[in-house]
Amino acid sequence: MQYTRTVEALKEGTVIDHIPAGQGLKILRLFRLAETGERVTVGLNLSSRHMGSKDLIKVENIALTEDQANELALFAPKATVNVIENFEVVKKHQLELPDAIQGIFACPNSNCISHNEPVQSFFYVKAHVNDTKMKCKYCEKVFSKDIVVEVR
Amino acid sequence: MANPLYRKNIISIPDFSREELELVVETAARLKAEPSKNLLKDKLIASCFFEPSTRTRLSFETAVQRLGGRVIGFADGGNTSARKGETLADSIKIISSYSDAVVMRHPREGAARLASEFSAVPVINGGDGANQHPTQTLLDLFTIKETQGTLQELAVAFVGDLKYGRTVHSLTQALSLFNCRFYFVAPEVLAMPDYICEELDEKGISYTLAASLEEVIPEIDVLYMTRVQRERFDEAEFKKIQGKFVLHAEMLRHARENMKILHPLPRVDEIDTDVDATPHAYYFEQAENGVYAREALLALVLNETV
Ligand SMILES: [Zn+2]
């Protein structure tokens, strides 16, 4: 099974699997995984029995926290996040939409004060029936999730 | 026990509970009836206008001085270090170290919230870009209470630019805590934004989108007028709606006796001057009430008990 093989290769770190194909590089960039200095392996357009094709990211020596995993839920709600220690899965994160998300996305409002000041962006997240809304803590504007996620 | 607004930042109307709104309104009424010269004695208020707004600034500074406080600050941020590239965060750290509270207006949305995160003293928002202007809403509430004797279950019509008018959004949110009913009268392109209507739906508050000003006048206790800016339309469009959202004295024949007309001012031509002499006109008193509402807010933020 391909899944066990990819986990096998990693001694310590995190495997983010079942990312919708095309989202892998975006996740890499927004979570600044490449800037960690650790070895990162990325698989794009891998075949998946359930999803058709998928992306996958392995980061060595970094254990994603619950909060970070939940932030992933915004654009890859079905992703699996497994933390590996000594070749074994020690934690399978259940992704839940976070109440708030900090420092990942820039505010789409160009006149928002958060762009020019020494603060991290901050959005309150609220799930609606067909959409997830994000409200900027600073300018108080409410955006559809897709608009915030597309910025940058 | 300290009042609930003591040492609080005043940033945005949705931060207020119903009780806090009532407290400001009651305190404003008290200060209007019995002026107090000492509530800000020995207090120094920084009045920081990173963009000019003569009306708001004079109203705040009058409030401070009437309560015995002193003011430092600037009227036009174009001349300050912000222009040299200093962050707002740094400016506020320094200014708040001199003063007991900071009143500020800024052209960017979110500026007051951000300032409150860096300030050592309470920040009072005097307007942040197109976002919030909470003291306008507080003076509107005070004026409505003063003219109607209550804020409960009133019928309130908003007329004009309901899309961009931030005072209209905040006042709707505030009055929705008091079970008011709303009528929205606006050209289609300047209609109330969806998110406000959705909030009302969620709270089960009834509102009516009305086509004309005249049909709502007999139904309401408060008529809140705003200006429809010509720049929002092309010429042909403007011709079509021109005059539809303008109030004349003869349109008030079937108004309730208690009905009052409010307007955040300045008006241009959306309220004909022949309305001024009717018993329904109340917009100049409303502007005067701005000083009492700001007095109340400053007094509550800077005194444990008022
Ligand atoms: Zn923002």
Side-chain angles (χ1 to χ4, degrees), chain A residues 107-109 112-114 123 136-141 143, chain B residues 109:
Chain A
C107 181
N109 171 13
C112 177
I113 194 78
S114 64
F123 295 92
C136 173
K137 174 175 78 168
Y138 294 102
C139 70
E140 304 186 31
K141 277 201 173 8
F143 304 96
Chain B
E109 286 99 51

Side-chain angles (χ1 to χ4, degrees), chain B residues 23-288:
Chain B
L23 177 65
V24 176
V25 166
E26 282 157 20
T27 307
R30 199 140 41 83
L31 290 173
K32 186 173 183 177
E34 303 162 38
S36 161
K37 290 197 183 70
N38 294 318
L39 282 167
L40 296 184
K41 193 168 172 287
D42 301 326
K43 302 286 191 216
L44 187 58
I45 310 302
S47 165
C48 305
F49 280 67
F50 294 90
E51 76 174 355
S53 170
T54 308
R55 196 182 298 265
T56 303
R57 186 173 60 83
L58 291 181
S59 177
F60 265 116
E61 295 184 2
T62 303
V64 172
Q65 306 228 15
R66 280 199 195 155
L67 296 180
R70 285 168 300 147
V71 178
I72 56 167
F74 47 89
D76 176 358
N79 298 324
T80 68
S81 44
R83 202 174 205 170
K84 297 173 199 147
E86 186 176 58
T87 62
L88 176 61
D90 282 1
S91 302
I92 290 295
K93 271 186 209 163
I94 295 160
I95 294 164
S96 71
S97 72
Y98 304 151
S99 56
D100 296 293
V102 174
V103 171
M104 64 175 282
R105 187 184 188 96
H106 196 284
R108 284 183 176 263
E109 286 99 51
R113 179 84 63 195
L114 182 129
S116 72
E117 294 175 351
F118 292 91
S119 174
V121 297
V123 171
I124 297 176
N125 187 3
D128 60 322
N131 183 31
Q132 281 275 325
H133 190 13
T135 58
Q136 176 71 46
T137 306
L138 294 168
L139 80 87
D140 291 341
L141 288 175
F142 169 43
T143 305
I144 293 171
K145 174 79 188 283
E146 182 179 64
T147 59
Q148 307 297 326
T150 179
L151 292 171
Q152 289 288 340
E153 294 171 25
L154 297 169
V156 182
F158 291 96
V159 180
D161 180 353
L162 307 189
K163 182 173 183 189
Y164 299 100
R166 60 181 176 184
T167 62
V168 164
H169 306 159
S170 297
L171 185 57
T172 305
Q173 288 171 321
L175 287 172
S176 71
L177 299 175
F178 297 92
N179 297 317
C180 289
R181 267 177 306 121
F182 301 110
Y183 295 85
F184 300 140
V185 189
E188 213 175 308
V189 288
L190 296 179
M192 198 61 122
D194 289 343
Y195 83 93
I196 297 275
C197 293
E198 282 165 17
E199 276 178 28
L200 295 175
D201 288 336
E202 276 173 30
K203 290 181 186 160
I205 306 234
S206 83
Y207 58 91
T208 308
L209 308 179
S212 85
L213 191 45
E214 274 167 302
E215 74 187 68
V216 303
I217 284 176
E219 311 292 329
I220 55 176
D221 304 303
V222 175
L223 178 57
Y224 200 99
M225 297 290 297
T226 66
R227 184 150 59 99
V228 173
Q229 285 175 284
R230 205 189 189 107
E231 308 86 83
R232 306 248 190 244
F233 297 86
D234 66 41
E235 203 54 37
E237 265 185 310
F238 190 75
K239 281 228 167 66
K240 258 190 274 170
I241 64 121
Q242 197 173 18
K244 266 184 139 177
F245 304 92
V246 174
L247 186 66
H248 298 277
E250 92 263 0
M251 295 161 76
L252 297 166
R253 279 189 315 262
H254 302 294
R256 294 175 181 172
E257 217 170 291
N258 65 307
M259 195 276 269
K260 295 292 179 204
I261 302 156
L262 305 186
H263 189 299
L265 300 186
R267 71 164 158 187
V268 179
D269 52 10
E270 58 277 14
I271 302 179
D272 194 290
T273 48
D274 69 4
V275 177
D276 297 359
T278 71
H280 302 291
Y282 210 74
Y283 24 91
F284 295 115
E285 290 88 342
Q286 176 191 9
E288 183 202 334

